[in-house]
Amino acid sequence: MSRLPMILSRSIRSSISHNQKLLPSLQHRFISQSSILYNSPFGKLTTDPNQQQPSPQQQESSQIQSTQKRPEIIKNEDGEIDISSITPENDEQLIEYHATEEIKNQKDSIEKLIHPLKIKLYNQVVRDHGFFKNDLIIKDEESKKLLKFHLTNEEISILEPSIYLQSFRIKLSMKKATIVNRFVRKMDLKTAINQLHFNSKKMSTELEKLLKTGLEKVRMLGYNENTIYIDKLWVGSDGKWKKRLDIKGRGRHGIIHHPYIHLKCVLKTEFTTKRLQWEKLQKSKLEKPKMYLNNDPLNLKVRPWYKW
């Protein structure tokens, strides 16, 4: 037996004697050499050929077992429900209530900010043109009247689909984080993740994790992941910085502050890109021809009379 496994086995035995809770983590850390050989530096790109993959029947059985984990409601012989068996996990009426309340709160929050008529007209314009076009003369379907429909930039940002991301307690300074944020801002989501994956800075790994969660949300909501881009990305102090004593010479000392920050990001869809391209085209059409006049000063004195 080589020397390395002896050292590992001693460390495991000592950890079991001190604290039994550390056993699963240590077992996971000191795996056989086959898992080390087949791991990739870029994540789980390769698989161990010795490891057998579960069959589709086993996957279906595992899904059924996960759904059956919910505790059942117990009934008596007379058909009466035992109240003690009802929990928030198996109460169907409570689950339905929370789902409907969540949808209702979302609608109420938008209607508090924007008039319902504006929301209806916005949806009508998007349905007709594929994206929102501002300052169009449209015909209302109910009143049959022609209306010039205008929305402010704030109202458009509320109505257009967007995804908000945030993270907390990252041990880094705001200045170092801003350098990486400037590099990625206004970039496509997938290209940003690829660029950050091969970046050597510490901030790039934290930002990559945040953008990957955004990519999962995009797939869950059903948007086209190839057209999503980073509209806004900013950093802020997370508060409660740790302090450490900095010992100096001649009986003096200072305080070292360990900064903690948070990241916040807003992702936009193709509806925003199409609208911005259309607005840029309309602005170029309304531009007047440029007159390149010479505004240099005269090289002679201008007097209100003739020289003679």
Side-chain angles (χ1 to χ4, degrees):
M1 186 182 287
S2 61
R3 191 176 179 183
L4 181 62
M6 293 288 290
I7 296 165
L8 297 179
S9 61
R10 285 174 189 170
S11 63
I12 291 169
R13 286 170 188 170
S14 62
S15 65
I16 293 165
S17 61
H18 289 296
N19 191 1
Q20 292 182 354
K21 293 183 180 179
L22 294 175
L23 180 60
S25 62
L26 285 167
Q27 283 179 348
H28 181 69
R29 191 178 296 170
F30 303 118
I31 314 172
S32 62
Q33 291 184 358
S34 63
S35 64
I36 297 166
L37 290 171
Y38 292 105
N39 279 339
S40 172
F42 304 116
K44 294 180 180 179
L45 300 178
T46 56
T47 55
D48 190 352
N50 298 323
Q51 188 178 1
Q52 294 181 357
Q53 293 184 354
S55 63
Q57 294 178 355
Q58 291 176 354
Q59 290 178 357
E60 288 178 3
S61 63
S62 64
Q63 288 177 1
I64 292 163
Q65 286 175 4
S66 64
T67 54
Q68 288 178 354
K69 283 179 183 177
R70 186 184 294 175
E72 296 181 356
I73 296 169
I74 301 168
K75 293 183 179 180
N76 298 331
E77 294 178 355
D78 300 332
E80 295 178 355
I81 297 168
D82 187 8
I83 298 170
S84 61
S85 65
I86 298 172
T87 59
E89 296 174 354
N90 61 10
D91 194 352
E92 294 179 357
Q93 292 181 355
L94 185 66
I95 293 163
E96 262 182 60
Y97 173 75
H98 282 301
T100 52
E101 281 292 318
E102 190 176 354
I103 295 163
K104 189 179 176 183
N105 290 332
Q106 287 177 0
K107 288 181 179 178
D108 291 343
S109 61
I110 294 170
E111 287 179 357
K112 284 177 184 177
L113 297 170
I114 302 170
H115 197 272
L117 179 62
K118 287 186 176 181
I119 297 168
K120 189 186 77 173
L121 294 173
Y122 172 83
N123 293 328
Q124 185 180 337
V125 173
V126 172
R127 188 174 65 250
D128 294 341
H129 301 280
F131 60 96
F132 180 68
K133 292 183 178 182
N134 210 359
D135 295 326
L136 286 182
I137 297 169
I138 59 173
K139 190 175 184 180
D140 189 11
E141 294 175 351
E142 291 183 1
S143 61
K144 304 295 182 183
K145 290 182 179 178
L146 294 173
L147 303 170
K148 187 176 181 181
F149 186 47
H150 175 78
L151 287 176
T152 60
N153 293 329
E154 293 178 356
E155 291 172 342
I156 292 167
S157 63
I158 291 166
L159 289 170
E160 277 182 342
S162 58
I163 297 165
Y164 177 75
L165 306 172
Q166 59 180 351
S167 67
F168 301 99
R169 294 307 277 180
I170 299 170
K171 192 181 182 303
L172 207 72
S173 66
M174 288 189 281
K175 191 180 283 187
K176 291 176 182 177
T178 308
I179 295 166
V180 181
N181 290 349
R182 283 177 181 170
F183 170 62
V184 174
R185 201 179 286 129
K186 299 293 179 183
M187 196 181 281
D188 292 339
L189 184 61
K190 281 190 171 181
T191 54
I193 290 168
N194 291 333
Q195 292 291 333
L196 291 168
H197 185 79
F198 297 101
N199 198 337
S200 59
K201 290 189 177 293
K202 179 186 174 182
M203 182 62 205
S204 60
T205 56
E206 299 293 338
L207 186 55
E208 186 188 356
K209 290 176 188 175
L210 183 67
L211 295 179
K212 280 183 178 178
T213 57
L215 188 62
E216 290 176 2
K217 283 186 179 180
V218 168
R219 288 169 181 167
M220 187 176 65
L221 293 169
Y223 294 121
N224 188 5
E225 58 188 39
N226 296 320
T227 58
I228 302 292
Y229 76 98
I230 301 166
D231 184 42
K232 295 175 184 176
L233 179 62
W234 68 97
V235 65
S237 172
D238 209 39
K240 293 184 180 179
W241 291 8
K242 288 184 179 179
K243 297 177 184 178
R244 190 161 57 85
L245 201 65
D246 185 16
I247 303 298
K248 302 180 185 294
R250 300 183 182 181
R252 292 176 296 177
H253 67 86
I255 296 171
I256 298 172
H257 295 273
H258 294 276
Y260 284 85
I261 60 168
H262 62 259
L263 285 169
K264 292 186 180 181
C265 178
V266 177
L267 305 176
K268 292 284 186 180
T269 59
E270 59 184 345
F271 295 99
T272 309
T273 52
K274 287 179 180 178
R275 178 181 62 82
L276 293 172
Q277 287 173 4
W278 180 78
E279 285 177 357
K280 188 177 180 180
L281 183 65
Q282 296 299 314
K283 190 177 179 181
S284 64
K285 285 180 181 178
L286 296 172
E287 280 182 354
K288 295 179 180 178
K290 293 180 180 179
M291 301 293 290
Y292 297 99
L293 298 174
N294 189 9
N295 293 323
D296 294 337
L298 296 171
N299 292 326
L300 51 97
K301 290 182 180 179
V302 180
R303 292 168 179 159
W305 58 81
Y306 293 107
K307 279 190 176 182
W308 59 82

